[in-house]
Amino acid sequence: MILSFRYPLIQFIRKYSSVKNEAIHRIIYSSSTNIWFNLATEEWLSNTIKPNEHILFLWQNDKCVIIGRNQNPWKECFLERMENDGVLLARRRSGGGAVYQDLGNTCFTFLVSQAHHQLDKNLNSKILLDALHSSFNIKGHIHGRNDLVYGPDNRKFSGSAYQNTRKFALHHGTLITDVDTNAMKKYLNPNKEKLLSKGVDSVQARVINLCQANPSINHKDLCLAIEKSYRQIYSNNQIPSAEILSKEILNSIPELNTSYKLYSDSQWRFGQTFSFTHEYEKRFPWGTISIGIISERDGLIHTCEIYSDSLYVNMINRLKENLLGQMYTGESIRKACQRTRSQVESEQEKTMIDDIQAWILAQI
């Protein structure tokens, strides 16, 4: 059973901060399914970890796409589909590829202080594999650098990423229990034609939902199994009852609140990427239009060139002016198009703007 901690988390940290040599193991659950909050919580735990602490953090996210630190969201995702369906975009600090997550995923984080511990990735994987084997009779194994796979054809059910600083080492990833695979196809891997980028591409592997190996598996039971395996591995330590962190804690901890604002901010999610060029062309009944957009690291449209054989030159020029300097997101594109629509007079021009808006949004 997962028990809520009996007294405030800060008091718990202070109580054990005087213990210098003996490792203090903590098991922490998030009651939130918001990806930005959970990433912020993970960062806050990393920044406040004590020299003798070893943390297991278990969490789960509602529909979202998470990209790696150096990835280009326009290259990795169908951003307009995500926006329409309420799928959040998040950027983590660690590397790796883009992943889709929903409530069919279980996320884990192993976090240790660099002062007295070393992050043992193989031991962490053993904890996860032992949990699956002992509680669900699922026999997985390590494959490659950071994947856990199942069956003779090595179908992937878990991927990991790592982060190392002078203060802490972090190993986090996800276990796929019952993810919507159709959603993965819907939101990931856009058409990369004419999209030139220096970012990191995602490598899509064959995946398997763990419920295909055991239909009884679910997030709650899997977390309890991982907790049990973790306690068995570190049986020589007195590990307190699991702590539960809720979103209400956000307002009471300034550092956590600051991290949440960062991860939810569009500048971080869209702007922390490499420069890229997006070029596309389409022929409409009223003419052909070609658009070339260059965006720098801030995710803004720094250069916009529009070529068309349309007779409405002023409309094309106004659209170009309204797009320049805007964030390259569906919301900003829509506003720029609607601003242009309000500036033209003829119904033909308004229809053309509607066509262009729908077309551009489909590209990103």
Side-chain angles (χ1 to χ4, degrees):
M1 179 180 296
I2 303 173
L3 301 176
S4 178
F5 210 68
R6 297 297 184 182
Y7 45 89
L9 182 61
I10 298 300
Q11 293 182 19
F12 171 79
I13 295 174
R14 290 173 178 169
K15 177 178 179 180
Y16 287 101
S17 62
S18 61
V19 181
K20 301 297 182 182
N21 297 317
E22 183 180 355
I24 300 298
H25 290 262
R26 298 169 61 193
I27 300 172
I28 301 174
Y29 289 84
S30 172
S31 66
S32 172
T33 58
N34 180 283
I35 178 59
W36 302 332
F37 174 80
N38 286 328
L39 286 177
T41 300
E42 183 183 65
E43 180 166 286
W44 171 68
L45 290 171
S46 302
N47 291 335
T48 59
I49 191 170
K50 302 302 178 183
N52 54 341
E53 283 186 330
H54 191 301
I55 297 173
L56 168 64
F57 178 42
L58 296 171
W59 39 302
Q60 186 181 36
N61 301 309
D62 208 342
K63 296 185 298 182
C64 61
V65 170
I66 310 165
I67 60 175
R69 177 66 179 85
N70 293 323
Q71 286 197 293
N72 184 331
W74 291 275
K75 189 172 185 178
E76 300 297 333
C77 319
F78 280 111
L79 292 172
E80 178 67 7
R81 293 179 183 177
M82 291 167 57
E83 184 177 337
N84 290 339
D85 296 347
V87 179
L88 298 182
L89 173 70
R91 182 190 297 276
R92 59 183 180 270
R93 290 193 183 274
S94 58
V99 295
Y100 168 78
Q101 290 186 11
D102 57 25
L103 297 181
N105 290 76
T106 293
C107 300
F108 60 85
T109 302
F110 294 94
L111 179 65
V112 299
S113 165
Q114 296 280 32
H116 298 298
H117 306 282
Q118 287 187 340
L119 185 69
D120 191 333
K121 301 171 185 175
N122 289 329
L123 181 60
N124 297 340
S125 295
K126 174 177 170 53
I127 290 172
L128 300 174
L129 293 173
D130 286 352
L132 290 171
H133 189 200
S134 61
S135 296
F136 305 100
N137 196 31
I138 297 176
K139 296 181 180 180
H141 59 275
I142 301 173
H143 181 73
R145 291 187 306 166
N146 57 2
D147 293 340
L148 300 182
V149 298
Y150 174 81
D153 51 354
N154 292 330
R155 297 184 67 185
K156 178 179 176 179
F157 63 82
S158 176
S160 301
Y162 311 98
Q163 184 182 2
N164 278 282
T165 71
R166 291 183 178 181
K167 185 174 183 179
F168 67 86
L170 177 149
H171 169 198
H172 64 183
T174 181
L175 296 163
I176 303 173
T177 55
D178 192 16
V179 70
D180 183 351
T181 54
N182 288 326
M184 294 175 66
K185 298 175 184 177
K186 182 177 182 180
Y187 303 121
L188 293 179
N189 282 340
N191 184 351
K192 297 178 175 59
E193 183 179 0
K194 295 188 179 180
L195 178 54
L196 309 174
S197 174
K198 298 178 182 178
V200 180
D201 287 346
S202 291
V203 178
Q204 295 301 309
R206 293 186 65 198
V207 299
I208 183 174
N209 275 312
L210 289 172
C211 66
Q212 294 177 249
N214 186 334
S216 69
I217 196 168
N218 59 71
H219 173 71
K220 180 181 177 181
D221 291 340
L222 178 55
C223 285
L224 291 174
I226 296 171
E227 177 181 343
K228 179 181 177 181
S229 178
Y230 183 85
R231 292 181 182 277
Q232 289 175 341
I233 289 291
Y234 298 105
S235 57
N236 293 329
N237 298 278
Q238 296 296 318
I239 303 178
S241 300
E243 308 161 44
I244 300 179
L245 300 182
S246 65
K247 207 169 182 182
E248 286 68 33
I249 293 177
L250 179 67
N251 294 326
S252 63
I253 303 176
E255 297 85 358
L256 179 54
N257 193 23
T258 298
S259 291
Y260 176 80
K261 289 179 179 178
L262 168 72
Y263 283 109
S264 60
D265 185 67
S266 61
Q267 184 62 41
W268 166 259
R269 293 182 292 129
F270 293 100
Q272 299 296 315
T273 190
F274 288 94
S275 302
F276 68 93
T277 301
H278 200 169
E279 302 173 0
Y280 36 99
E281 180 178 286
K282 183 176 177 64
R283 176 158 186 82
F284 293 93
W286 45 261
T288 298
I289 184 169
S290 300
I291 297 180
I293 287 174
I294 298 177
S295 176
E296 302 296 336
R297 290 183 63 89
D298 54 10
L300 299 178
I301 299 175
H302 288 265
T303 301
C304 178
E305 297 295 342
I306 303 178
Y307 304 98
S308 177
D309 57 6
S310 165
L311 299 177
Y312 295 94
V313 177
N314 290 335
M315 182 271 292
I316 296 295
N317 289 337
R318 286 183 182 275
L319 177 60
K320 175 181 175 179
E321 293 171 359
N322 289 329
L323 286 172
L324 278 172
Q326 300 303 309
M327 183 70 73
Y328 194 34
T329 64
E331 180 181 2
S332 295
I333 297 296
R334 191 177 291 107
K335 288 181 178 179
C337 288
Q338 290 305 304
R339 188 180 304 115
T340 306
R341 197 179 194 279
S342 68
Q343 295 170 342
V344 299
E345 297 181 358
S346 72
E347 290 302 316
Q348 176 63 27
E349 289 175 293
K350 294 181 186 298
T351 298
M352 291 167 63
I353 287 295
D354 291 342
D355 290 342
I356 294 171
Q357 174 181 306
W359 170 56
I360 296 178
L361 293 179
Q363 304 307 304
I364 64 172

